[in-house]
Amino acid sequence: MSLRIWIRILSTIFIAAVLLEGCATPSDLPQGMNAVWHLVVIGDSSLWKLGKAFVSQIEEDVGVEVVLDDYAWPNLSAGEVLQALQTGKSTRYGLEKLPAALKDAEVVVIFVNPVNSIDPEKPLNLNGCFVSQAPSTCEPETFEKWISDLKAIWAEILVLRNGQPTILRATDLYNPLVIPWKEQGVFESCTRCWENMSNAARLAAEAYRIPFLSRLDAFNGPNHEEDPREKGYIVSDGEHPSDLAAKFTAELLSEMGYETVLQP
């Protein structure tokens, strides 16, 4: 293992010990050339390609072998994931294997959408933004059911890990539609919707002191008006992440360090 990697590991351990009360350090995880970590990525299509990119990043940073279980699937929702974790069953083929994968997961990254996390009394409908129309309902209170489901997902993961130290990371959704939104006059309303969604994902993660990466900030800038298409982060379909976006996200996760989170 290179001197740079050793320095990074030792620095991370020190920072975690000093700043993260209640969190374990990477020394609690397998180390060395023969060590193996399991990475589980759980997300919708906005996390496509991240798994392989983050595998390479971890292996470079830490010097361990990383095995990937990639559950970044089209339109995967929090409701579907929670059902699979709570019942071991799913109508989506293969998702029933997720609990077993999480039992072995040293690293977990999650963004699952709120499509199946709707409270009829506080309905959420952000679909208009995907076709550059104003969202029907997308205020902070419409995300309360999603926050509850996300928190339940994190809780289930901690139970499955059974007290083992785990690197847990949450993220939100970038906006690939800056230009269409501006052209159609819905930029302010749809951006506010995306910001509400980002804040909800952050609140759910903070309930378990899980570090949060805002791809909305990273891809779209601090004011959320920069176009990630112009940066090469979006493929030709105008929506999904490119290889460059996956690499960029993996680098951002790397910069967050590898502190582990223990059950509160």
Side-chain angles (χ1 to χ4, degrees):
M1 187 179 297
S2 70
L3 178 60
R4 182 182 67 82
I5 292 174
W6 274 114
I7 291 173
R8 182 163 190 161
I9 292 172
L10 292 173
S11 298
T12 303
I13 292 172
F14 175 78
I15 292 170
V18 173
L19 298 180
L20 296 178
E21 178 185 355
C23 292
T25 70
S27 61
D28 294 296
L29 295 175
Q31 301 288 324
M33 295 180 61
N34 296 321
V36 177
W37 288 8
H38 294 81
L39 165 65
V40 176
V41 175
I42 308 171
D44 61 12
S45 56
S46 75
L47 289 186
W48 282 354
K49 305 179 181 179
L50 174 61
K52 290 183 178 180
F54 199 26
V55 163
S56 298
Q57 188 69 53
I58 296 171
E59 290 181 340
E60 177 184 346
D61 289 345
V62 186
V64 297
E65 179 185 350
V66 181
V67 176
L68 173 64
D69 283 304
D70 198 345
Y71 290 86
W73 294 352
N75 207 36
L76 186 64
S77 69
E80 291 176 284
V81 170
L82 184 57
Q83 179 188 40
L85 295 182
Q86 290 181 335
T87 69
K89 300 177 182 179
S90 176
T91 56
R92 193 185 285 240
Y93 177 76
L95 195 58
E96 72 279 356
K97 299 178 182 178
L98 179 58
L102 287 167
K103 286 182 179 180
D104 295 329
E106 283 81 13
V107 189
V108 181
V109 181
I110 295 182
F111 173 79
V112 281
N113 68 54
V115 170
N116 290 326
S117 300
I118 308 296
D119 181 348
E121 296 185 359
K122 301 175 183 178
L124 166 68
N125 189 338
L126 50 73
N127 291 336
C129 292
F130 288 103
V131 292
S132 300
Q133 297 176 3
S136 300
T137 50
C138 196
E139 297 307 310
E141 60 269 18
T142 65
F143 289 97
E144 290 176 0
K145 179 64 166 63
W146 188 48
I147 293 172
S148 177
D149 285 353
L150 289 174
K151 289 166 67 174
I153 288 170
W154 291 121
E156 291 290 337
I157 291 172
L158 290 168
V159 169
L160 287 166
R161 291 296 292 154
N162 195 27
Q164 299 177 86
T166 313
I167 299 167
L168 302 176
R169 298 293 181 264
T171 187
D172 58 5
L173 182 61
Y174 56 82
N175 169 27
L177 302 170
V178 171
I179 299 303
W181 287 358
K182 288 183 176 180
E183 291 176 345
Q184 298 301 317
V186 298
F187 178 78
E188 290 187 1
S189 60
C190 283
T191 297
R192 186 164 55 250
C193 178
W194 252 236
E195 290 170 347
N196 290 340
M197 179 164 48
S198 175
N199 290 336
R202 185 189 298 272
L203 286 172
E206 287 178 347
Y208 290 95
R209 304 179 68 182
I210 293 167
F212 181 81
L213 168 64
S214 176
R215 291 185 294 166
L216 184 61
D217 290 349
F219 281 46
N220 297 101
N223 296 322
H224 304 149
E225 60 183 3
E226 298 174 14
D227 187 356
R229 297 181 185 184
E230 296 178 348
K231 301 176 183 180
Y233 293 155
I234 307 299
V235 297
S236 59
D237 69 2
E239 180 178 346
H240 292 106
S242 65
D243 291 336
L244 181 63
K247 185 175 185 296
F248 178 50
T249 305
E251 290 171 350
L252 293 172
L253 289 167
S254 168
E255 290 172 4
M256 295 171 71
Y258 293 100
E259 292 81 13
T260 59
V261 178
L262 290 177
Q263 185 167 344

